[in-house]
Amino acid sequence: MDFLPGCARYHRMHMLFPPCPASAQRRLQLQRLASMAARIGLCGLLAGAVPAYAQLGGPRLNLPTLPSLQRLPVEPRLPVPQAVNPVLSTIPLQQLRLTTVRNLLRQHPDLLEADPSGEPIRRAELVLLSPAPGLVDAALALGFTLLRMQALPELDLHQMVLRPPSGQTTAQALTVLRALRPDVEADFNHIYTASGEVGTDGSPAHTSAAARVRVGLIDGGVDARHPALGHSELHLWGCQGAPVPSVHGTAVASLLVGTQGTQSPAPDAVLYAADIYCGLPTGGAAEDVASALAWMARERVAVVNISLVGPANRVLERSVQALTRKGHVVVAAVGNDGPAAPPLYPASYAGAVGVTGVTRAQKVLPEAAQGPQVMFAAPGAQISVAQMGGGYHTVRGTSFAAPRVAALLAQQIQQPDVAVAQAALARLAAAALDLGAPGRDPVFGLGLVGAETP
């Protein structure tokens, strides 16, 4: 079995082993597992080696920290849109994603299902992260099927995707996996979704020159032919190298490195863009985000923007932690489910830089999430961005506030470095305009940044 990035993994998703007696099938699975382990340096997996996750010790990134957040259930989220639906675009952001997710689940019941909290997940898939010796053997003995596995050496992790045994729901199978060992790292293959809405009104803005920097984007595909991005040096990942532009990815990319009708503070930056959707309804899964983060680590991209939201997930959490420990900075949108909504991820993980949005009047967006995960505020309404296929349109949401912060930080952090990242965050905090209660507050965080950019 090959280990391919992007869309190739999708084609593996429903691959079945040839029918055979249970004992023979289990021997076949173990043989394939051993072969795959040897190919990616995991020979110790079935031979009693120390689990890979034990390698995650080391210095933690000493950045402004967030209080621990409980794993609370959250409402379903909206997938990254590939086109603007004129009907859905009239729905308030708080309801837009819920409505779209319901449509998505209804349209693709063979590929997607809802977890117990209503979050979209890949149907009949569970992700096992850096399993301890013997755990996979035990899972196969219980009837689980190994679908694929991938090493993420840049994050000192590896992940496996399992299919539940026949007769078990995905939720039941997760309970079984977690019962095998108290420290098992297993979760649903959650789908992560956009955190902003693309509109059609407003006029283009203009940019100012900035020093050439490097910045990362994990999102949908980017329309590299758009005039706002035509000057940019782009490094693309995913979809087997076949570009699959998206509305959301193109919009966020133009805020990171765009010129002409966009609002990027760093228009001359080099963009490393990972497409984790490839235009597929199953795109944006937790395993895809982890793989994209590993690519960012391999390319040594110091600042990575993730304008996507979803539920707490162990694979995502461990991947973000591993990256930030290496001195990278993950900037993430806090989401648009309203101030009373439960926290969304990855913005709510400790070490991530959670960003909210404000209006031109410097009022917080009414739909923006609030809480200890908010670290900074940035403009998030009436923002002009590149439109896929050409032209510009107006956007609103925390998705479009986060790249402003990411671009500002990227100008100060050229290579992953814990001390440099800490100093850059401190400088950004010192320059922030305190709009709320004195000091850090759950509405504006440490304050508003980036508002001086026209």
Side-chain angles (χ1 to χ4, degrees):
M1 188 183 299
D2 296 328
F3 309 105
L4 302 174
C7 290
R9 291 196 300 275
Y10 168 78
H11 298 296
R12 303 288 187 191
M13 188 170 61
H14 296 290
M15 183 181 69
L16 298 174
F17 290 108
C20 56
S23 59
Q25 181 179 6
R26 181 168 175 272
R27 286 197 299 272
L28 178 60
Q29 293 173 348
L30 288 173
Q31 290 170 359
R32 291 183 175 183
L33 176 61
S35 174
M36 287 186 287
R39 289 174 62 186
I40 61 176
L42 301 178
C43 298
L45 177 63
L46 301 178
V50 177
Y53 58 76
Q55 303 173 25
L56 286 178
R60 296 184 63 89
L61 183 61
N62 186 24
L63 302 177
T65 57
L66 304 175
S68 299
L69 297 169
Q70 297 179 348
R71 300 169 64 86
L72 300 174
V74 298
E75 295 297 321
R77 313 284 164 237
L78 170 68
V80 168
Q82 300 304 307
V84 178
N85 185 316
V87 176
L88 292 179
S89 64
T90 64
I91 301 174
L93 284 180
Q94 294 95 321
Q95 287 84 44
L96 176 64
R97 290 178 291 173
L98 176 60
T99 301
T100 306
V101 158
R102 286 173 177 168
N103 291 340
L104 186 70
L105 292 172
R106 184 171 61 250
Q107 292 165 5
H108 303 283
D110 55 328
L111 303 176
L112 302 173
E113 61 180 304
D115 75 359
S117 297
E119 294 286 351
I121 61 174
R122 285 184 176 171
R123 178 170 290 282
E125 286 195 5
L126 294 170
V127 184
L128 190 62
L129 191 65
S130 298
L135 182 59
V136 175
D137 193 0
L140 296 179
L142 292 174
F144 286 86
T145 300
L146 177 65
L147 295 179
R148 54 191 177 273
M149 61 189 294
Q150 182 183 24
L152 305 175
E154 300 84 3
L155 304 179
D156 300 321
L157 300 172
H158 61 269
Q159 57 185 357
M160 298 181 176
V161 181
L162 305 179
R163 177 185 292 119
S166 177
Q168 285 186 9
T169 67
T170 311
Q172 290 170 340
L174 179 59
T175 300
V176 171
L177 271 184
R178 289 178 173 174
L180 288 177
R181 283 179 61 107
D183 59 349
V184 68
E185 298 282 358
D187 215 326
F188 299 110
N189 210 356
H190 283 111
I191 301 294
Y192 287 81
T193 60
S195 183
E197 167 62 357
V198 178
T200 56
D201 57 349
S203 57
H206 303 281
T207 59
S208 57
R212 190 172 179 83
V213 298
R214 286 160 33 109
V215 65
L217 170 66
I218 297 178
D219 209 291
V222 174
D223 183 359
R225 297 183 178 182
H226 194 285
L229 300 171
H231 76 292
S232 302
E233 181 181 336
L234 303 180
H235 298 263
L236 306 179
W237 176 93
C239 313
Q240 292 185 278
V244 187
S246 71
V247 171
H248 194 267
T250 301
V252 177
S254 71
L255 294 175
L256 287 170
V257 302
T259 59
Q260 300 183 27
T262 64
Q263 295 182 314
S264 170
D268 294 321
V270 178
L271 179 65
Y272 288 75
D275 184 353
I276 60 171
Y277 292 92
C278 302
L280 301 172
T282 54
E287 64 168 314
D288 299 327
V289 181
S291 298
L293 288 171
W295 178 63
M296 296 294 177
R298 183 163 63 252
E299 297 294 335
R300 295 187 58 77
V301 180
V303 179
V304 181
N305 185 89
I306 307 180
S307 289
L308 310 171
V309 295
N313 180 280
R314 296 184 183 185
V315 174
L316 181 65
E317 180 179 13
R318 291 285 302 283
S319 300
V320 170
Q321 288 176 346
L323 194 70
T324 56
R325 271 197 287 263
K326 293 177 179 291
H328 299 254
V329 177
V330 173
V331 180
V334 298
N336 308 302
D337 282 6
L344 301 176
Y345 299 85
S348 296
Y349 287 127
V353 178
V355 181
T356 189
V358 300
T359 67
R360 289 187 175 181
Q362 298 185 348
K363 304 294 184 183
V364 70
L365 297 180
E367 65 270 17
Q370 297 182 15
Q373 70 272 32
V374 179
M375 187 175 291
F376 292 107
Q382 295 178 282
I383 305 297
S384 181
V385 298
Q387 181 175 355
M388 189 175 68
Y392 301 87
H393 48 196
T394 298
V395 295
R396 176 188 178 96
T398 59
S399 268
F400 312 110
R404 182 71 62 90
V405 175
L408 290 170
L409 288 171
Q411 291 175 306
Q412 303 182 51
I413 312 172
Q414 298 302 314
Q415 294 291 329
D417 184 281
V418 172
V420 172
Q422 181 179 0
L425 282 167
R427 284 193 295 270
L428 196 61
L433 176 62
D434 195 347
L435 296 178
R440 186 169 180 172
D441 67 79
V443 179
F444 300 98
L446 294 167
L448 174 65
V449 299
E452 69 281 359
T453 301

